[in-house]
Amino acid sequence: MQENQNVQDLSFSQELDKYSKKWHALSNERILKILKTNQKSGLTTQEAAKRLEEFGRNTLPKPKKPNIFAIFFKSFLDPLCIMMAIAGIASLIIGLINTLEAPDIAGLIIIAVIILTNSIIATLQEWKSLNQKEAIKNNVLEAVVLRDGKQTRINIEELVPGDIIYTKSGDFVPADSRIIDNQMLKVDESALTGENEAVEKVDEVIEEQHLVLGDQKNIAFMSTLVVEGKMVGVVFNTGRESEIGKIATKISETKKQKTPLEHKVSKLTLIIGLASVILGAIIFGIAYVNNEKIGESIYKLLLVAVSSAISIIPESLTIIVKICLFIATKKMARKNVMIKKPKSIETLGNVNVICSDKTGTLTQNKMFVDSLYMSGKEYKAKEIELQEDPLVRCMALCNDGVINKKGEKIGNATDLALVGLLMDNKINYQAMRRKYKRVDEIPFDSKRKVMSTVNQVDGPDGKYVAYTKGAMDYLIPHCKHIVDNDIVRPITDQDIENIKEQLLVFAKKGMRTLGFAKKDLDEIDLEQDYQYEDKLVFMGLVAIIDPPREEVKYSIEDAHNAGIRVIMITGDHKVTAFEIASRLGITDEQYNDVITGAEIESLSNEELIEKLKSTNVFARVNPEHKALIVDLLQSQNNIVAMTGDGVNDSPSLVKADVGIAMGITGTEVSKKVSDVILTDDNFKSIISGINSGRNVYEKIKYSISFLVAANISQVLTILIVLGIFGQLALNSVNILFHIFVVETIVAIPIGMQRERKGVMLNPPPTHKKESLLKGIITQICLTTLFNTLFAVLNYSIADIYVMHSDLASSKEELQKLASGYAKAGSYICIMNSPIFYAILFNNRFLPIKNDNGETIIDKYKPNKWLIILMCIALTLTTLTMLPFEGLNEFFDFKTHKLPAILAVIFIINTLLTPICIYLVNLIVLKTTSNMKKNLSKQQTINKEL
Ligand code: ATP
């Protein structure tokens, strides 16, 4: 039995192969027969499951993943790695010429360890982020398909040859399909043919054989985008067998590009790298001049100079940036913000204007009909009982929404609200659709803001009715008659006045309005669509409630606290838009105007810029207007985030600094061109994204100021001690060990810090190219000052103390002892102070309270990794300082028999560095109180950010 079935299955797929490249030349009936399917009922679930087993899942072959070893070896090509490797090899050669001692070998080993650790961390980060990208790509796409006679949504991977699919504007074509019902379908096939112009499709047979893909007009190819209209198609090829599947393996992944932040960091590190060469040369020069006093070999002096140069470079910065971006991407995904391009994380952090759609983003998109208006009277939907009449027919027939038996909703929220109303009134809309067959239609588009269908209402002898529903602004000029208590009469000016008044009544309550009209037709001309939407009979109005999202109000407040302006751009009526905007706090005394699409067209750009100063609400706009609004805002130096869901939103999504698509209601086209996708369509998530973006910037800035200060302090200490005492305060092993502790152990967890909500109380950056050093130079200077000061102080105190003591009998011995203890003093301070002040770089120890004494931002809780790694670093440095002679010799200082008084002074000075930095930050820089000043009102930060 099993064998028999296999034979049969095999012959089916082989049979399909015979028609390859001929699908366009076959009639609909023939194709349905070959594919053993039915246009009315589709495949059965069992048959589909069987075919899925035979043909496999409808997925494209995955591009080859780069090998982890290749990533590892590539990481050595970093310019800094190369510089360090050259320095290491140079010192090895010099060392070989001279006689090598244990500490020198140790120096080389430390260089090798640093290079290796950096490369390993970089490789792991890259590897992890590559795997995460995979996860994003696997985001489930769905297709509407006919199975067991019912329309249902399935994962596109489960499509099989023979499935009847429904695809509309904004969707990706889910598999290679022959079009069997075409409704003004236009498809962008650039992914396949490279042709940028959208192709008009047909559903007739094309007799010619051997057509190139671009000429197969009755076929919709997998992964192409429907930009207009809709179609019913029958799938004939899936996955690897599809045209895109055949070439998918040949399309290589676009090369990973560095983000602007990574560029800025690389540039900064390279500049510091070049400066370090000069500083190294200066140290070598001074040491060489003083060498009589120092008494070391030239090789050792050179090694100190090379190590000092290396130590200035903040090598770990590039890794910290990668870690920050990686953590932020993951965190954002958890907060429903899917980052498609890593650079958008940084841009999100810089955004100062958000232009948001209304429906679904600011509102819940859970629409239901609240009221109706017919024959001059208003009715509450709950209080009347609807019967089948022309208005109800219009609601049922001029509508693509379906709520199936499982309660699954297919279609847009407006249509579904009407379906809900019909179902509440026990009206069988599906039976009506079967009875009054749809013969033609003009789909909804966001420019006209109406849709029309033509239905065969009076049976086969041919009386048609065109039904139109949509925005009244469009419908009113086209209505010539009105239904008044079941009688059709010419529409009067008074009727129009009454309708407009009623529209205002609904709109002032924040409700969305739809008008319904019809036109009786004796015959139809399928080529002349415009006839349907003219000389209409007005039948009534419906008011739909789409409540604002509660949480969005707080998010908008958060945005305002963060210095971000929120603008609503909607296709809805101006009064409805203004009402919803006011409820959400988008309008205020300054921004209390509305601009409509019509006004945008009548105003010049200068006038619009002037209007923008008092307007946060744009209503009844077309998608093209959105791009213009972005353009004008950008011309005023704003960094703009723009949301969009429709096919026509693509230009504005591309134009905006951050294009944000909607994961649930958004079309595939909008998701494709966007930088970010909101998986929950919620405005609140944009604010979470901005918070994460700002945190990335802040963490990078902390890391830079920490690393630069710690590294420069070390080199400055060497230079000053060299200048004053003619001695080397630290040797190459000390310096390299410092790099290891500071760069590798302590700095990296700074990038892993918890996100702070406090960043949302700072104003956004003033311009896109703001330097990474902006706002941290004072911090760097102060930290460097204190760290160097106390390190040099330790050196000096030890030197003076020993030279004036009787710890040794001869002056020479005294001098040797003084230099040993003094070196230990500077070593303790240079090594340990950064470990303590690393934690202070997030100096938010005090909770921030508002004027009412309520806590706005909790006390800062240091990251557990920073604490653990701090303890490890402290243990390591303490171990190196244990008072054993051998160990002392290795590290080239003396702690053996260190006088207690010196030990106490060393520790006090070491701790004074972070204490001074903290106090200065608190008193002089007033970071905390500055932030408080930004709180205009009695505000609280949204706890769930
Ligand atoms: P946003 O741009 O904020 O998402 P929106 O969803 O209200 O706003 P559109 O979907 O373009 O914008 O709708 C604009 C108008 O078009 C609505 O006010 C309504 O009158 C009309 N409309 C919306 N959906 C339909 C539909 N399915 N059929 C007919 N008319 C519709």
Side-chain angles (χ1 to χ4, degrees):
M1 161 87 191
Q2 180 72 37
E3 205 173 339
N4 264 349
Q5 199 177 341
N6 281 341
V7 170
Q8 200 184 335
D9 287 349
L10 206 67
S11 62
F12 181 46
S13 63
Q14 275 180 337
E15 195 178 321
L16 293 194
D17 278 348
K18 285 201 301 207
Y19 299 98
S20 115
K21 302 208 189 315
K22 289 187 195 143
W23 294 105
H24 62 275
L26 302 170
S27 69
N28 290 359
E29 295 70 34
R30 191 75 207 284
I31 288 182
L32 293 168
K33 207 167 158 206
I34 293 168
L35 289 163
K36 296 180 186 155
T37 187
N38 183 310
Q39 190 175 350
K40 296 235 165 67
S41 58
L43 296 175
T44 61
T45 313
Q46 293 91 320
E47 179 61 21
K50 210 173 105 193
R51 291 191 189 186
L52 190 64
E53 202 150 289
E54 180 182 358
F55 291 91
R57 294 183 81 78
N58 179 30
T59 50
L60 297 178
K62 297 207 167 63
K64 247 173 103 184
K65 252 200 228 165
N67 179 309
I68 191 160
F69 294 105
I71 302 175
F72 179 70
F73 288 115
K74 224 181 85 197
S75 69
F76 287 103
L77 294 180
D78 184 69
L80 287 175
C81 257
I82 296 173
M83 269 174 76
M84 287 184 57
I86 292 174
I89 294 167
S91 25
L92 181 69
I93 294 169
I94 305 167
L96 283 176
I97 298 167
N98 296 271
T99 41
L100 273 183
E101 288 168 25
D104 306 328
I105 297 172
L108 294 176
I109 292 173
I110 291 177
I111 295 187
V113 168
I114 292 167
I115 297 180
L116 265 177
T117 322
N118 274 357
S119 301
I120 291 171
I121 298 178
T123 307
L124 290 178
Q125 281 310 322
E126 183 96 28
W127 184 245
K128 263 167 114 181
S129 68
L130 273 176
N131 284 324
Q132 190 192 24
K133 264 181 140 186
E134 282 292 305
I136 291 173
K137 270 198 229 129
N138 288 339
N139 181 32
V140 174
L141 287 178
E142 289 186 327
V144 179
V145 58
L146 193 64
R147 290 262 176 100
D148 302 315
K150 285 180 217 103
Q151 277 188 31
T152 164
R153 279 181 177 284
I154 61 162
N155 181 340
I156 66 161
E157 292 191 6
E158 286 162 19
L159 281 177
V160 289
D163 265 328
I164 305 290
I165 53 162
Y166 299 82
T167 310
K168 58 176 189 338
S169 87
D171 291 343
F172 273 112
V173 176
D176 283 0
S177 317
R178 171 60 204 279
I179 302 165
I180 49 178
D181 184 11
N182 169 42
Q183 294 293 338
M184 299 161 77
L185 189 76
K186 268 193 178 175
V187 181
D188 171 358
E189 294 184 336
S190 52
L192 199 62
T193 59
E195 180 58 61
N196 280 327
E197 196 92 342
V199 184
E200 273 183 46
K201 292 285 178 179
V202 296
D203 51 16
E204 297 108 39
V205 182
I206 303 175
E207 305 271 338
E208 283 163 71
Q209 303 284 326
H210 310 297
L211 285 181
V212 292
L213 297 184
D215 290 339
Q216 298 182 15
K217 297 265 161 82
N218 56 6
I219 288 182
F221 296 102
M222 182 168 178
S223 289
T224 56
L225 292 166
V226 179
V227 291
E228 237 179 88
K230 55 187 190 175
M231 68 143 192
V232 181
V234 55
V235 174
F236 60 83
N237 268 336
T238 57
R240 285 167 186 275
E241 293 304 316
S242 67
E243 290 301 331
I244 192 88
K246 287 180 199 153
I247 59 167
T249 26
K250 293 181 208 149
I251 305 170
S252 60
E253 273 273 86
T254 42
K255 234 180 137 201
K256 194 174 172 268
Q257 285 183 333
K258 274 191 180 173
T259 75
L261 186 60
E262 282 176 308
H263 268 301
K264 275 188 191 173
V265 166
S266 305
K267 211 169 124 195
L268 183 77
T269 355
L270 215 60
I271 292 172
I272 299 178
L274 293 175
S276 73
V277 176
I278 302 170
L279 257 166
I282 296 175
I283 292 183
F284 180 74
I286 302 178
Y288 187 74
V289 173
N290 282 302
N291 200 21
E292 229 171 82
K293 211 168 167 193
I294 301 170
E296 294 284 9
S297 67
I298 295 204
Y299 161 63
K300 278 208 172 162
L301 299 186
L302 206 62
L303 209 54
V304 170
V306 170
S307 336
S308 308
I310 292 176
S311 77
I312 301 173
I313 309 167
E315 299 88 18
S316 45
L317 259 188
T318 29
I319 295 174
I320 296 175
V321 175
K322 280 204 171 85
I323 293 179
C324 283
L325 291 177
F326 177 71
I327 294 179
T329 313
K330 256 177 77 173
K331 169 133 199 188
M332 286 190 192
R334 256 185 280 135
K335 301 251 167 184
N336 302 314
V337 184
M338 197 195 276
I339 298 290
K340 283 176 59 200
K341 302 173 192 156
K343 85 170 174 31
S344 337
I345 302 179
E346 305 154 34
T347 325
L348 260 181
N350 292 344
V351 158
N352 70 337
V353 179
I354 307 171
C355 296
S356 173
D357 278 339
K358 174 179 72 69
T359 310
T361 316
L362 300 172
T363 64
Q364 298 178 12
N365 210 21
K366 284 187 193 138
M367 297 190 194
F368 59 90
V369 176
D370 178 85
S371 307
L372 293 99
Y373 174 80
M374 301 171 285
S375 305
K377 285 198 204 83
E378 182 186 335
Y379 302 91
K380 277 277 172 206
K382 279 192 196 127
E383 289 162 10
I384 55 162
E385 210 171 293
L386 294 178
Q387 306 287 347
E388 188 181 325
D389 67 0
L391 174 64
V392 165
R393 270 185 220 153
C394 184
M395 286 185 201
L397 303 175
C398 183
N399 187 322
D400 290 325
V402 175
I403 302 180
N404 65 19
K405 287 212 174 97
K406 284 187 251 161
E408 256 183 329
K409 293 181 170 175
I410 302 168
N412 69 59
T414 310
D415 282 355
L416 289 168
L418 296 174
V419 168
L421 176 74
L422 298 176
M423 286 170 79
D424 289 346
N425 282 278
K426 312 254 170 334
I427 291 171
N428 189 341
Y429 68 97
Q430 294 277 36
M432 275 167 79
R433 287 181 193 172
R434 279 193 296 273
K435 188 169 163 199
Y436 308 121
K437 221 176 131 231
R438 190 184 284 187
V439 290
D440 201 5
E441 68 181 293
I442 314 177
F444 175 77
D445 82 61
S446 43
K447 267 193 206 156
R448 284 160 38 251
K449 299 183 174 51
V450 296
M451 73 173 275
S452 299
T453 60
V454 182
N455 296 70
Q456 208 167 340
V457 170
D458 274 352
D461 47 19
K463 185 145 182 267
Y464 304 101
V465 179
Y467 294 105
T468 303
K469 79 169 195 305
M472 274 314 286
D473 321 26
Y474 178 88
L475 284 184
I476 288 179
H478 293 93
C479 288
K480 293 281 173 276
H481 289 83
I482 184 168
V483 177
D484 187 357
N485 293 312
D486 297 334
I487 296 162
V488 175
R489 61 164 175 80
I491 198 163
T492 63
D493 289 347
Q494 186 55 49
D495 292 325
I496 293 175
E497 246 346 275
N498 294 346
I499 294 169
K500 284 185 176 167
E501 239 169 65
Q502 189 59 44
L503 281 172
L504 279 185
V505 171
F506 288 144
K508 278 186 185 152
K509 292 183 193 159
M511 291 196 275
R512 182 180 176 82
T513 48
L514 280 182
F516 294 84
K518 64 164 191 160
K519 180 177 184 178
D520 294 309
L521 298 162
D522 275 330
E523 53 188 49
I524 49 168
D525 179 353
L526 291 174
E527 297 303 313
Q528 312 241 321
D529 296 326
Y530 57 85
Q531 59 179 336
Y532 308 143
E533 291 175 3
D534 197 27
K535 296 187 186 143
L536 296 168
V537 180
F538 173 77
M539 294 188 287
L541 293 176
V542 151
I544 295 174
I545 288 193
D546 180 16
R549 292 178 185 261
E550 273 307 310
E551 67 281 17
V552 163
K553 204 167 170 226
Y554 301 106
S555 305
I556 288 175
E557 208 171 274
D558 287 341
H560 290 160
N561 287 340
I564 300 165
R565 178 175 168 190
V566 181
I567 293 178
M568 175 198 274
I569 305 184
T570 176
D572 218 334
H573 191 276
K574 111 183 206 181
V575 179
T576 312
F578 191 80
E579 173 59 29
I580 301 280
S582 324
R583 288 192 207 167
L584 291 171
I586 291 175
T587 58
D588 58 20
E589 301 95 52
Q590 185 190 348
Y591 297 108
N592 55 9
D593 227 349
V594 191
I595 303 183
T596 60
E599 281 171 283
I600 294 181
E601 290 194 350
S602 68
L603 294 174
S604 68
N605 284 1
E606 291 70 34
E607 286 167 323
L608 272 175
I609 289 174
E610 201 45 44
K611 272 262 187 185
L612 263 170
K613 291 183 184 154
S614 61
T615 313
N616 269 349
V617 183
F618 291 83
R620 284 284 191 247
V621 292
N622 295 342
E624 304 91 82
H625 300 140
K626 283 182 153 189
L628 177 66
I629 297 167
V630 176
D631 216 6
L632 295 179
L633 286 166
Q634 284 174 332
S635 74
Q636 304 298 297
N637 272 333
N638 290 300
I639 302 177
V640 185
M642 163 74 87
T643 68
D645 46 15
V647 197
N648 301 328
D649 286 338
S650 307
S652 53
L653 289 176
V654 173
K655 186 136 213 10
D657 297 280
V658 188
I660 305 173
M662 300 298 136
I664 305 171
T665 52
T667 51
E668 298 308 329
V669 183
S670 62
K671 290 184 206 168
K672 190 182 172 202
V673 300
S674 65
D675 306 297
V676 171
I677 300 175
L678 298 186
T679 50
D680 63 350
D681 287 13
N682 193 338
F683 180 86
K684 186 183 132 200
S685 309
I686 305 179
I687 304 297
S688 305
I690 292 180
N691 180 51
S692 293
R694 286 192 173 192
N695 267 286
V696 167
Y697 244 89
E698 195 186 60
K699 282 193 248 176
I700 302 298
K701 285 192 161 196
Y702 279 150
S703 313
I704 293 175
S705 44
F706 168 73
L707 285 170
V708 172
N711 294 350
I712 294 186
S713 310
Q714 171 179 250
V715 178
L716 269 185
T717 307
I718 298 176
L719 271 171
I720 295 173
V721 170
L722 205 54
I724 301 175
F725 299 93
Q727 288 289 342
L728 284 173
L730 301 164
N731 77 354
S732 57
V733 176
N734 302 161
I735 298 168
L736 292 170
F737 192 60
H738 177 267
I739 301 181
F740 183 65
V741 169
V742 168
E743 299 264 352
T744 314
I745 305 184
V746 187
I748 289 176
I750 295 187
M752 294 154 108
Q753 299 273 11
R754 263 174 237 265
E755 284 191 352
R756 267 186 347 101
K757 291 169 193 164
V759 289
M760 293 304 273
L761 291 178
N762 296 333
T766 41
H767 58 89
K768 291 179 199 177
K769 292 197 173 144
E770 198 174 276
S771 154
L772 275 177
L773 295 176
K774 192 177 173 216
I776 55 171
I777 296 193
T778 331
Q779 175 92 289
I780 295 177
C781 292
L782 281 169
T783 313
T784 313
L785 176 81
F786 286 117
N787 202 357
T788 316
L789 181 79
F790 289 109
V792 174
L793 209 61
N794 267 356
Y795 191 99
S796 318
I797 293 173
D799 189 83
I800 297 165
Y801 176 86
V802 178
M803 290 309 282
H804 292 86
S805 71
D806 50 7
L807 287 172
S809 44
S810 73
K811 191 168 177 217
E812 248 167 42
E813 262 178 55
L814 216 50
Q815 238 163 17
K816 214 174 146 210
L817 211 55
S819 138
Y821 289 145
K823 281 179 181 177
S826 44
Y827 178 83
I828 293 179
C829 196
I830 286 296
M831 292 301 291
N832 294 318
S833 297
I835 301 176
F836 290 110
Y837 63 68
I839 214 165
L840 295 181
F841 273 73
N842 214 333
N843 79 80
R844 310 280 180 256
F845 280 101
L846 305 176
I848 300 180
K849 297 187 187 260
N850 65 15
D851 296 339
N852 282 1
E854 293 161 293
T855 305
I856 299 166
I857 298 174
D858 284 340
K859 206 167 103 179
Y860 164 67
K861 293 181 211 99
N863 163 313
K864 73 169 187 274
W865 282 109
L866 185 57
I867 308 264
I868 295 171
L869 290 164
M870 253 180 74
C871 295
I872 295 177
L874 266 181
T875 317
L876 279 176
T877 54
T878 314
L879 284 176
T880 59
M881 284 184 295
L882 289 177
F884 300 121
E885 278 191 82
L887 197 66
N888 278 184
E889 214 169 284
F890 186 80
F891 279 93
D892 199 20
F893 51 66
K894 196 165 170 62
T895 51
H896 186 62
K897 292 192 185 149
L898 178 73
I901 178 80
L902 280 186
V904 172
I905 292 173
F906 287 173
I907 293 171
I908 291 177
N909 277 343
T910 302
L911 292 177
L912 271 177
T913 313
I915 292 172
C916 287
I917 294 169
Y918 181 58
L919 289 178
V920 167
N921 263 321
L922 213 63
I923 301 161
V924 183
L925 299 181
K926 289 197 189 126
T927 341
T928 316
S929 53
N930 264 350
M931 221 158 53
K932 214 167 146 185
K933 248 191 262 161
N934 288 330
L935 302 175
S936 49
K937 293 174 258 154
Q938 188 210 87
Q939 295 149 336
T940 43
I941 285 255
N942 183 359
K943 292 273 182 303
E944 285 168 48
L945 255 187

